[in-house]
Amino acid sequence: QVRLVESGGGLVEAGGSLRVSCAASGSMFSIDIMGWYRQAPGKQRELVATISNGGSSNYADSVKGRFTISRDNAKNMVYLQMNSLKPEDTAVYYCKTVGQRYNYSPRTQYWGQGTQVTVAS
């Protein structure tokens, strides 16, 4: 069974930094896209950043220049370094991967349980 486990969330003051991590456990034939999404209270879940297995990244406009996504393919981990945090970055941050469990499996999305990031003004 594939599991994603996030860690590293917490409380930080505005202007501060946090790094959240996500570990994918369980055997997988391939992992394509890894990414971070977030959901603030009363709002829809939104994309924060994604990164391909080749290292190409994509960011939401609201985090460009402040957040950096990276991944370690050997460890099946993805990271999100968040700098210059703002109160509006407060949300539950979710990790997502897209990949194949076996070489004959369809590409499937897997989600983590989320980690809370709170930015105090």
Side-chain angles (χ1 to χ4, degrees):
Q1 184 175 353
V2 177
R3 287 187 64 215
L4 301 182
V5 179
E6 300 99 335
S7 60
L11 173 64
V12 65
E13 291 187 353
S17 298
L18 274 178
R19 187 176 88 149
V20 290
S21 303
C22 174
S25 64
S27 175
M28 288 191 70
F29 173 72
S30 68
I31 296 178
D32 302 330
I33 301 293
M34 303 187 82
W36 290 95
Y37 292 71
R38 66 187 182 187
Q39 187 166 18
K43 295 188 177 181
Q44 290 189 330
R45 191 172 298 187
E46 63 177 4
L47 179 146
V48 176
T50 62
I51 185 167
S52 71
N53 55 10
S56 297
S57 58
N58 177 56
Y59 296 92
D61 288 343
S62 59
V63 306
K64 281 180 181 177
R66 300 188 298 122
F67 291 10
T68 302
I69 190 170
S70 60
R71 65 189 281 175
D72 184 331
N73 290 333
K75 297 180 179 179
N76 286 344
M77 292 195 68
V78 62
Y79 309 94
L80 185 68
Q81 177 66 44
M82 302 181 287
N83 298 328
S84 302
L85 282 160
K86 304 175 181 180
E88 52 263 43
D89 294 318
T90 296
V92 177
Y93 283 70
Y94 296 91
C95 171
K96 187 182 92 168
T97 70
V98 179
Q100 293 175 274
R101 183 75 193 277
Y102 306 103
N103 61 354
Y104 52 81
S105 302
R107 294 175 75 243
T108 304
Q109 296 182 38
Y110 300 91
W111 289 90
Q113 82 289 350
T115 186
Q116 177 70 46
V117 171
T118 302
V119 184
S121 58

